[in-house]
Amino acid sequence: SDPTPDNAAIIQTMAPPHNNEALPPADRILRVSKSSILDGRDCATLNAADEHRKETVVASSKSESKVQVSDARRREPTAFLSDQEIAQSRIFRAAQSMACAYSSMMYQFSVEGHERLPKDRAALIVTLHTYHSGDIGICLLNAQKVTGRVIRGLLHRLLMRMAGFIRFLGVVPGYRDTAEELLSQGFWVGVVPGGAEEVMMHASENGKHAYETAWNSKEGQARCGFARVALKMGPGFEVFPCFCENGEEMKINPLADLWTFLRLDFAWGALARMMPFFIRWWMLQIAIVVAFTVSSFGIPLPVKVTQHIGEAVVVQKDDTAETLAERIRGSLQSLIDVKQKRRHRSYFAALCDRWCPGTAASEKKDQ
């Protein structure tokens, strides 16, 4: 029959294949009848509203996608793979097999205190920087074997440009936002706050201060970036100090020892401080690259190396970056003093630790 003359849409209930009367009213699907007498203007209005709604949904989806993909993820996508994905890659497995076999044979490498690390949540691991850096890869790869978790180690950005392939081992450039994003996603992050300045101090004076923390920048300011990252995680977040006992004695480097014995490192530093900032910065970068390269040619020594993981330093509500950094530094230094029992480098004492422990007892004292 002809539609009613009123200018109103006729809404009909679409009957499902089964008895429509048995369905509750909310489950009935309403549609605009084809016999609707809506004029063209009303139809255009509805179509425009529908198109606007679709565009809003698409724009919202794009906006959410942009929020989810952070700068850190775009910059280092490999770092945000799961622990299982990284550990199961061929590069990681090959490197881990070689590193674990080598460290076991050469250093009788072992880990103490790993049970303190949380298995199912994020953790920040802070350690001492050895001169040769030979312990870093061994610790990272052994950690996955012992705990099942892959540590995302933050490395100097310049060195990452020289050896970018180590991204496949979980290593990432040391950007603060990357660390924050990784921790917020529940990953373990490892950091060496001392950086190049700590390396230089450990190498100077033939290792007189090899087991002392040096967390000051080249301008003399305290390094607190890692503490700010921990504060971002909120009160209750745990930071774990760790170091390798006899880590400094893993390699002997006659060339580097001669360089420091002649105090040429002090001469280079004094010359750099006399230069304008730009030249001074480049001289420091050159020193880092040279030190890293020279240290790679060290001669391995068969000493006993044990990685110690200390008690957690818990972030408090009233912590500042400076106070938290100092508490972490103090905790790490106390761990070193208790386990290493000396702050100077001693190849003889480290060798005796493995081959004749009784002889090393008198050597392990502060001088």
Side-chain angles (χ1 to χ4, degrees):
S1 60
D2 293 334
T4 58
D6 298 331
N7 287 335
I10 300 176
I11 307 301
Q12 295 181 342
T13 302
M14 182 184 297
H18 51 277
N19 186 9
N20 187 52
E21 297 301 328
L23 291 175
D27 290 342
R28 298 178 184 179
I29 304 173
L30 301 180
R31 67 174 180 174
V32 178
S33 173
K34 291 182 179 179
S35 60
S36 171
I37 60 172
L38 286 172
D39 58 22
R41 184 181 57 185
D42 294 329
C43 291
T45 301
L46 287 177
N47 290 337
D50 187 56
E51 289 298 325
H52 177 71
R53 181 185 60 80
K54 291 180 180 179
E55 290 176 1
T56 303
V57 171
V58 171
S60 177
S61 300
K62 290 182 178 180
S63 176
E64 289 177 2
S65 176
K66 289 180 180 179
V67 171
Q68 291 174 358
V69 182
S70 63
D71 291 339
R73 284 179 176 271
R74 281 196 293 267
R75 192 168 55 236
E76 297 296 330
T78 306
F80 291 90
L81 297 175
S82 68
D83 290 348
Q84 291 74 19
E85 288 177 299
I86 293 179
Q88 290 173 3
S89 69
R90 293 182 179 180
I91 295 177
F92 188 95
R93 286 187 294 170
Q96 185 183 54
S97 298
M98 291 186 292
C100 291
Y102 171 75
S103 60
S104 177
M105 177 186 66
M106 179 61 69
Y107 302 120
Q108 290 186 340
F109 186 85
S110 61
V111 182
E112 292 186 2
H114 62 84
E115 66 278 356
R116 296 189 175 107
L117 296 170
K119 302 296 183 184
D120 56 352
R121 62 180 186 276
L124 182 62
I125 303 169
V126 180
T127 189
L128 191 71
H129 207 317
T130 58
Y131 165 64
H132 50 74
S133 305
D135 57 324
I136 295 177
I138 289 175
C139 290
L140 291 176
L141 293 167
N142 272 278
Q144 195 281 330
K145 182 179 181 181
V146 173
T147 67
R149 298 290 304 270
V150 176
I151 300 176
R152 272 57 171 189
L154 302 183
L155 193 64
H156 197 285
R157 300 167 200 171
L158 178 62
L159 299 181
M160 284 295 297
R161 296 191 187 102
M162 298 170 59
F165 68 92
I166 59 178
R167 282 180 169 84
F168 296 101
L169 307 182
V171 182
V172 295
Y175 291 98
R176 192 179 301 172
D177 64 331
T178 303
E180 292 174 0
E181 182 75 11
L182 286 167
L183 290 172
S184 68
Q185 296 299 316
F187 294 110
W188 288 359
V189 174
V191 62
V192 189
E197 287 73 24
E198 193 168 62
V199 169
M200 300 305 177
M201 190 189 78
H202 291 173
S204 65
E205 299 183 76
N206 292 101
K208 182 179 179 181
H209 307 284
Y211 290 100
E212 295 181 13
T213 56
W215 293 357
N216 291 328
S217 66
K218 55 182 175 294
E219 291 83 13
Q221 298 178 348
R223 293 180 181 269
C224 300
F226 68 98
R228 292 188 177 93
V229 170
L231 287 174
K232 281 286 187 71
M233 300 301 107
F237 180 73
E238 296 177 325
V239 182
F240 294 86
C242 80
F243 90 107
C244 283
E245 182 181 357
N246 296 327
E248 282 286 346
E249 292 83 6
M250 291 172 64
K251 292 184 178 181
I252 184 171
N253 197 312
L255 180 60
D257 288 340
L258 177 62
W259 178 271
T260 58
F261 177 76
L262 297 175
R263 300 181 70 82
L264 296 177
D265 54 330
F266 282 96
W268 181 266
L271 180 62
R273 285 189 290 272
M274 296 170 58
M275 299 295 170
F277 173 79
F278 179 75
I279 298 177
R280 183 170 69 250
W281 184 87
W282 272 109
M283 291 181 70
L284 177 61
Q285 306 311 306
I286 292 171
I288 293 172
V289 173
V290 171
F292 179 79
T293 304
V294 171
S295 67
S296 301
F297 294 98
I299 303 170
L301 287 182
V303 300
K304 174 75 172 85
V305 178
T306 304
Q307 183 186 24
H308 297 282
I309 300 171
E311 296 286 349
V313 177
V314 182
V315 177
Q316 305 295 334
K317 289 184 179 180
D318 57 348
D319 271 328
T320 65
E322 291 74 16
T323 59
L324 180 59
E326 180 56 30
R327 286 203 297 125
I328 298 171
R329 190 205 66 79
S331 179
L332 176 56
Q333 189 63 65
S334 297
L335 179 67
I336 295 170
D337 293 341
V338 170
K339 299 296 183 179
Q340 189 66 62
K341 300 185 177 66
R342 56 180 165 84
R343 294 191 176 186
H344 63 281
R345 185 170 61 223
S346 175
Y347 298 114
F348 176 72
L351 287 168
C352 288
D353 272 351
R354 178 172 181 178
W355 303 104
C356 43
T359 308
S362 59
E363 274 284 323
K364 279 193 167 184
K365 293 180 181 179
D366 289 326
Q367 293 183 351

